[in-house]
Amino acid sequence: MTEDIEIVRHPTARRVKLAFDPATGRIRLTVPKRASTSKALAWAAGHREWIAAQRANLPQARPFVPGAMIPVDDEMLTIDWREGPSRIVRRHGDRLLLSGPEATIARRVEAWFRREALRLLEADSAFYAARAGVAVDRVTVGDPRGRWGSCSSSGAIRYSWRLIFAPAAVRQATAAHEVAHRVHMNHSPAFHALVEALYGSDPTPHRQWLRANGASLHWYGRSSMGGG
C-alpha cells in the first residue's frame, strides 16, 4: 500500500497529511520538513481502509478500444476498428472508423479527439468573443490536471482537451468563462455577470457538473489506475 504513495516534503507543513486525487488515483503524503519519513509512512499505513475506500470510488476507466462508446458533443461515438492498411481516423455518423495496427488504436483515437476538441473550442471561443466584442489571440488545448481553461493577458486561451467528453453546455460555459477574462482578469461580481450575459443563462449548474464529474473526464483513454 505505502509503495504507491507519493511523498512530498513541504517546508511550511505543520503536520503529516494524506490527500487523494480522483483524476489520477494517486495518493499524496505531505510531510513536514524535519519529520521522519518512516514514521509518516507508518501513520499513512494506519489509514489503509480510507485509502482503499477512495480507490474503490474512483471513476471507471474508459480505454479507447474497438467497440467503446465515447460521449462527444452530446452524442455517443463508437470506435469502429476493422482490419486494413489505413491509419486515418474519420467520423461517419455515430462511428469513428479506423483500421491500421491494433496497437496504435488508442494513440490515434486520442489524437482525433484532441483535434476535434480544438475545433469545437475554437468555435465556442470565437462565438463568445464576438458577443463580448473582444479578440482572442489564439486557442490551444492541453491536458492539465487542475484546471479546465486559462486566459492570458495577451488573449491566448488554453483549454483541457478533455472537455470534449463533457456535455456541450458545460464545454460552452467554460468557453464563456475564459472569454470573459478578456474583459475582467479576475473573478469579481462584474466578471461573473459578464459570463452569465455571454453564456445566456446562469452557468452555475455547469460549474457544479465539473466539480462533481470532472475527475471522470481524466479516465477516458485509460485502462487502469496506472495509465493507458
Side-chain angles (χ1 to χ4, degrees):
M1 179 75 72
T2 56
E3 62 270 17
D4 298 328
I5 296 177
E6 176 188 4
I7 300 173
V8 178
R9 193 168 288 279
H10 198 285
T12 62
R14 295 186 176 182
R15 61 186 178 87
V16 177
K17 181 180 178 181
L18 269 178
F20 187 80
D21 182 1
T24 62
R26 300 184 69 178
I27 306 155
R28 173 174 290 188
L29 178 65
T30 301
V31 182
K33 185 177 181 179
R34 292 184 172 83
S36 164
T37 299
S38 59
K39 289 182 179 180
L41 284 171
W43 175 83
H47 292 74
R48 57 173 55 89
E49 290 185 4
W50 178 85
I51 293 172
Q54 299 304 307
R55 286 178 169 166
N57 289 324
L58 280 173
Q60 180 182 355
R62 298 187 179 275
F64 298 146
V65 295
M69 299 179 67
I70 310 295
V72 174
D73 202 27
D74 292 339
E75 297 184 77
M76 296 298 293
L77 300 187
T78 300
I79 298 174
D80 188 345
W81 176 85
R82 302 176 187 183
E83 290 189 5
S86 176
R87 295 171 179 262
I88 297 173
V89 181
R90 62 186 179 89
R91 178 174 179 175
H92 182 71
D94 62 355
R95 311 189 81 75
L96 275 185
L97 304 178
L98 71 159
S99 53
E102 278 191 86
T104 64
I105 289 174
R107 176 175 56 78
R108 289 183 286 136
V109 167
E110 178 176 319
W112 187 91
F113 283 136
R114 284 176 178 263
R115 291 191 299 270
E116 184 66 4
L118 179 59
R119 184 186 70 82
L120 290 170
L121 287 161
E122 282 180 332
D124 294 337
S125 300
F127 176 79
Y128 293 117
R131 278 193 170 182
V134 298
V136 171
D137 179 55
R138 65 191 177 104
V139 174
T140 58
V141 294
D143 196 13
R145 295 296 184 190
R147 61 199 313 179
W148 299 105
S150 61
C151 179
S152 71
S153 58
S154 67
I157 297 179
R158 187 170 179 81
Y159 297 101
S160 167
W161 71 273
R162 295 179 179 278
L163 284 167
I164 194 173
F165 306 126
V170 171
R171 187 193 75 238
Q172 291 158 0
T174 304
H177 180 106
E178 297 307 329
V179 168
H181 278 309
R182 294 293 294 119
V183 179
H184 302 286
M185 288 297 289
N186 52 49
H187 289 97
S188 63
F191 165 80
H192 289 294
L194 178 58
V195 175
E196 184 167 344
L198 293 178
Y199 181 64
S201 63
D202 183 4
T204 301
H206 307 310
R207 291 199 301 271
Q208 292 173 338
W209 188 96
L210 275 177
R211 282 196 292 270
N213 302 283
S216 67
L217 304 185
H218 290 282
W219 288 79
Y220 282 97
R222 298 173 64 180
S223 58
S224 67
M225 192 173 68

